């Protein structure tokens, strides 16, 4: 236990930051503040005005548990069970990928691609927390969506998120591998952030990422297995003029485009870049 009851809030912030810094965590101070704010139920200002107050035993124990998990390099998002995405709150667990800011690029590109389609039907393959599907349904009040995932635990999280965001009446969730579950359903948009890391690269990811489900990261030897699995069957489920919107790894633009070209789908625009300037989202359509 690194914090004891009776330590002041300011002292707790110091101790947590120091412990995180010593462990080589470069967001040490921010992480300490986030954990304190969450466990004390205050915002940044509240943290300052509470500086001289002493922690209760309950708070000290909860924060010590959080600190141990952070020192084991679990992300703050997973420890707190929540991550903001598209300015919406999403519950996250150890069974889901934590939604990334880069993935907002995919949401934006997908929204643009379906802007002129009325009451669009959306399929989100490998939905995880449901963050992509829920963000799209939140923006497009006339849309309906299906979230597909192979992980039952992830689907529980996605269903809960859709309910919490009042989107449940327009979202269905199905346990299956990619397009298999869609049956005769035809859609206006297939969107996916599939696993796209090459197996050998997994070991080189940040320790926080390595706590995330391997199923959501591992794209096989060359990182392209999931794209191949989607490409094989995706044209079957597309309405005329429908689009496919995919997140890709920074170096995968031409390789993924080639996979889909082999199944009659071509890029409608160059890859959309993320905030870091890397190609991140591909929009494809049937030739
Ligand atoms: N962008 C994620 C990462 O680099 C990977 C997500 C994925 O494989 N779809 O950690």
């Amino acid at each position: 236990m690194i914090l004891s009851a009776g330590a002041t809030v300011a002292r707790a912030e110091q101790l947590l930051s120091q412990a995180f810094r010593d462990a080589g965590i470069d967001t040490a101070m921010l992480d300490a503040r986030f954990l304190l704010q969450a466990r004390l139920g205050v915002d940044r200002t509240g943290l300052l005005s509470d500086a001289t107050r002493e922690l209760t035993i309950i708070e000290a124990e909860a924060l010590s548990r959080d600190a141990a998990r952070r020192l084991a390099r679990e992300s703050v998002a997973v420890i707190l069970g929540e991550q903001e995405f598209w300015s919406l709150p999403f519950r996250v667990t150890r069974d889901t990928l934590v939604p990334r800011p880069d993935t907002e690029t995919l949401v934006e590109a997908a929204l643009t691609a379906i802007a002129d389609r009325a009451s669009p039907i959306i399929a989100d393959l490998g939905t995880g927390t449901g963050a992509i599907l829920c963000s799209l349904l939140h923006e497009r009040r006339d849309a309906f969506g299906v979230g597909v995932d192979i992980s039952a635990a992830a689907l529980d999280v996605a269903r809960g998120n859709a309910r919490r965001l009042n989107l449940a009446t327009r979202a269905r969730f199905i346990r299956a591998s990619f397009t298999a579950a869609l049956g005769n359903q035809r859609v206006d948009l297939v969107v996916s952030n599939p696993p796209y890391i090459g197996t050998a690269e997994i070991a080189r990811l940040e320790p926080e990422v390595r706590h995330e489900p391997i199923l959501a990261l591992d794209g096989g030897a060359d990182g392209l297995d999931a794209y191949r699995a989607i490409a094989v069957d995706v044209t079957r489920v597309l309405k005329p003029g429908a689009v496919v919107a995919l997140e890709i790894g920074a170096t995968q633009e031409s390789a993924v485009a080639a996979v889909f070209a082999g199944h009659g789908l071509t890029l409608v625009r160059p890859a959309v870049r993320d905030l870091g300037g890397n190609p991140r989202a591909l929009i494809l359509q049937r030739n």
Side-chain angles (χ1 to χ4, degrees):
M1 174 133 139
I2 75 165
L3 296 176
S4 41
T8 64
V9 170
R11 180 74 185 134
E13 184 176 327
Q14 270 172 11
L15 287 169
L16 291 174
S17 307
Q18 192 58 51
F20 296 161
R21 219 178 342 266
D22 290 347
I25 296 169
D26 52 19
T27 50
M29 201 199 300
L30 279 176
D31 292 356
R33 283 183 190 160
F34 267 131
L35 292 173
L36 275 160
Q37 284 172 207
R39 295 306 178 209
L40 305 184
V42 296
D43 60 11
R44 177 84 189 102
T45 325
L47 201 58
L48 291 171
S49 56
D50 267 7
T52 57
R53 151 166 113 64
E54 294 179 358
L55 295 184
T56 66
I57 182 129
I58 308 269
E59 289 167 342
E61 277 174 1
L63 283 160
S64 293
R65 270 195 304 276
D66 293 343
R69 292 179 66 180
R70 188 68 192 98
L71 292 170
R73 302 304 289 260
E74 282 197 77
S75 64
V76 172
V78 176
I79 295 169
L80 297 180
E82 183 145 313
Q83 173 67 44
E84 187 182 282
F85 178 85
W86 201 258
S87 300
L88 300 170
F90 287 94
R91 192 165 86 85
V92 301
T93 70
R94 286 172 169 148
D95 298 306
T96 59
L97 200 73
V98 177
R100 318 271 204 261
D102 286 341
T103 302
E104 293 179 344
T105 303
L106 175 65
V107 170
E108 204 160 11
L111 284 170
T112 306
I114 58 167
D116 60 357
R117 297 181 77 88
S119 304
I121 310 285
I122 300 167
D124 178 12
L125 309 182
T127 196
T129 57
I132 296 170
L133 182 64
C134 290
S135 301
L136 294 169
L137 295 179
H138 176 81
E139 292 301 318
R140 285 293 301 265
R141 308 308 295 191
D142 60 339
F144 289 82
V146 185
V148 178
D149 209 290
I150 195 77
S151 159
L155 286 172
D156 284 342
V157 175
R159 278 193 195 98
N161 280 324
R163 217 174 299 123
R164 200 149 73 112
L165 295 166
N166 287 318
L167 300 168
T169 56
R170 292 188 289 122
R172 267 197 312 144
F173 292 94
I174 307 177
R175 177 153 188 247
S177 181
F178 301 124
T179 47
L182 296 175
N184 292 325
Q185 177 77 61
R186 297 288 176 272
V187 305
D188 296 274
L189 167 68
V190 168
V191 66
S192 184
N193 174 18
Y196 57 66
I197 312 286
T199 306
E201 289 160 54
I202 303 270
R204 292 195 288 273
L205 297 173
E206 295 290 321
E208 286 78 2
V209 180
R210 284 188 274 120
H211 277 289
E212 296 183 283
I214 191 84
L215 202 58
L217 296 167
D218 189 350
D222 63 358
L224 301 174
D225 283 0
Y227 299 108
R228 288 190 200 96
I230 294 170
V232 157
D233 194 37
V234 75
T235 53
R236 183 180 64 79
V237 304
L238 299 177
K239 289 187 198 172
V243 292
V244 178
L246 301 168
E247 179 163 326
I248 57 166
T251 61
Q252 292 175 323
E253 178 172 0
S254 52
V256 174
V259 167
F260 281 83
H263 296 276
L265 287 147
T266 46
L267 289 183
V268 302
R269 53 182 292 186
V272 182
R273 289 173 185 268
D274 62 25
L275 293 173
N278 294 309
R280 188 60 63 196
L282 293 187
I283 305 293
L284 303 122
Q285 229 167 10
R286 229 163 150 155
N287 303 331

